[in-house]
Amino acid sequence: MLRPTSFDIATGTVLGVAPVSPRRPTPTGLPGPLGALDAAVLPGLARPPCLVSFSGGLDSSLVLAVAVRAARREGLPDPVPVTWRFAGAPRANESDWQERVIRALRLDGSWQILRADDELDLVGPVARRLLRRYGVVHPVNLHLHLPLAELAGGGSLLTGGGGDQILAGWRRPQATSLRARLWWLRHDVRTRQGPVEQFGWLRPEVARDVQRAYRAEERAEPRLLRHRIAWHARRRDLLLTCSALSRMAGDHQAVAIQPLLDEGFLAAVAHSGGDRRGVGRDALLAEIVGDALPAEVIAPRRKARFREVFLREPTREFVRTWDGAGADTDLVDPDRLRDLWSRWPIPGGTASLVQQLWLAAYPAERAGGTGPTNPPTGSDVGVEVRP
């Protein structure tokens, strides 16, 4: 399993792009993007139970809809959508779109809903089980998929991983009016931060280097769609994510599949219109899907925000009592970090540090001891099956 480095954990960034692989010739008779996505989900459908991590967002809705279409055509069991519902996290609420998509796909009978309060906190009961087994992994919220991997035991787990990068990219859509351009200009001025403000827990020289590298990687994203797709597919961020998810699923005798990162799908999207610039997610999805799937699947919707899901009471209590020990002081300034952690919410960029320092504070729990609370054995959440 690929792991984040100490630098990744301390800075809250995973930067870098793998070298370009030797170019393969484009195969003849390449299917369209929707056909390629269809082919990408079939191995999972052929290995039931086939669970789909379904949030109601665009990417997971697309994967679920394609899997349902393929299963019914091939006479295979329907995929099982599994959805988290979060108490006390209104900005993460996507229940309306979840209901719409499930109704449109006629999947009410197999929909499984997991409910969480503090369970998914960065050092809550689910995260502790993952940290105790694997240490700190990337992404910091990977533990969200641990109960899904357990439910998928012996079968498969499909996710919408990679959609933000492959389908959307980082560059904002080109402003079409003077008013829009002025709004973005004011937004940039308001939100622009210096290195000490953006990475205030790091040594000043480290903060400067990290911000410089972070901005350089943002600027390096290619503008041509086919180059953008290939570049994101090689980024360490996605490579570490896929590696950790595959390991976690494999430890439960399941296979993890990211259809939006499938080589055949990426090649098909690049081949079908990859010489264009500035293609946004909405336009790309409309081209890929056409009228082959229900309109609810790709209808534009608000992007959910999940900070409230992962920053809960267990993290608040840990950062309140942290004594400054365990941090890599070549990179992190413990006094600055304690000062930042004295205010709530803590900076999202310190999330991996929370997990690393929690492990340092409670090493016995990683070895199977008791730690600050008795860690649960087995699943930590109840499953609700929608009738």
Side-chain angles (χ1 to χ4, degrees), residues 305-324:
R305 296 289 180 263
F306 294 94
R307 185 168 69 170
E308 299 164 320
V309 173
F310 304 112
L311 297 183
R312 311 284 286 221
E313 189 57 32
T315 291
R316 187 194 288 262
E317 177 63 16
F318 173 70
V319 301
R320 184 185 68 80
T321 59
W322 180 58
D323 62 4

Side-chain angles (χ1 to χ4, degrees), residues 164-232:
D164 284 341
Q165 297 89 344
I166 301 301
L167 298 177
W170 290 344
R171 297 184 187 276
R172 70 174 66 127
Q174 187 173 1
T176 56
S177 67
L178 177 60
R179 182 178 181 180
R181 287 195 290 272
L182 289 173
W183 188 93
W184 278 113
L185 180 61
R186 288 193 293 270
H187 173 271
D188 289 344
V189 170
R190 276 197 316 270
T191 59
R192 190 172 184 84
Q193 295 178 309
V196 174
E197 291 77 22
Q198 187 174 4
F199 299 100
W201 61 95
L202 300 177
R203 300 291 182 188
E205 63 278 11
V206 178
R208 286 191 294 270
D209 290 345
V210 173
Q211 188 183 65
R212 190 178 302 116
Y214 183 81
R215 290 180 175 173
E217 190 152 316
E218 284 188 315
R219 291 192 299 269
E221 183 191 51
R223 294 182 181 274
L224 283 182
L225 177 60
R226 60 186 173 89
H227 292 160
R228 182 182 91 192
I229 289 171
W231 184 80
H232 273 295

Side-chain angles (χ1 to χ4, degrees), residues 69-98:
R69 177 174 176 259
R72 291 173 181 170
R73 185 192 65 240
E74 299 294 330
L76 296 168
D78 274 350
V80 179
V82 184
T83 299
W84 280 105
R85 293 277 176 87
F86 313 107
R91 284 177 286 190
N93 182 11
E94 297 181 279
S95 58
D96 180 52
W97 278 107
Q98 293 163 4

Side-chain angles (χ1 to χ4, degrees), residues 86-141:
F86 313 107
R91 284 177 286 190
N93 182 11
E94 297 181 279
S95 58
D96 180 52
W97 278 107
Q98 293 163 4
E99 300 277 356
R100 292 192 201 186
V101 172
I102 291 295
R103 280 197 304 269
L105 298 176
R106 307 191 310 280
L107 278 173
D108 287 334
S110 63
W111 186 18
Q112 297 190 10
I113 297 176
L114 312 180
R115 299 189 181 275
D117 191 342
D118 284 355
E119 288 85 353
L120 294 179
D121 179 88
L122 291 174
V123 291
V126 180
R128 289 175 186 178
R129 290 198 291 119
L130 183 138
L131 291 168
R132 192 169 65 250
R133 181 161 190 170
Y134 302 110
V136 179
V137 297
H138 178 79
V140 71
N141 62 356

Side-chain angles (χ1 to χ4, degrees), residues 60 120 152 157 195 267 279 296 318 328 383:
S60 66
L120 294 179
L157 174 62
V279 184
E296 292 85 351
F318 173 70
D328 183 343
V383 181

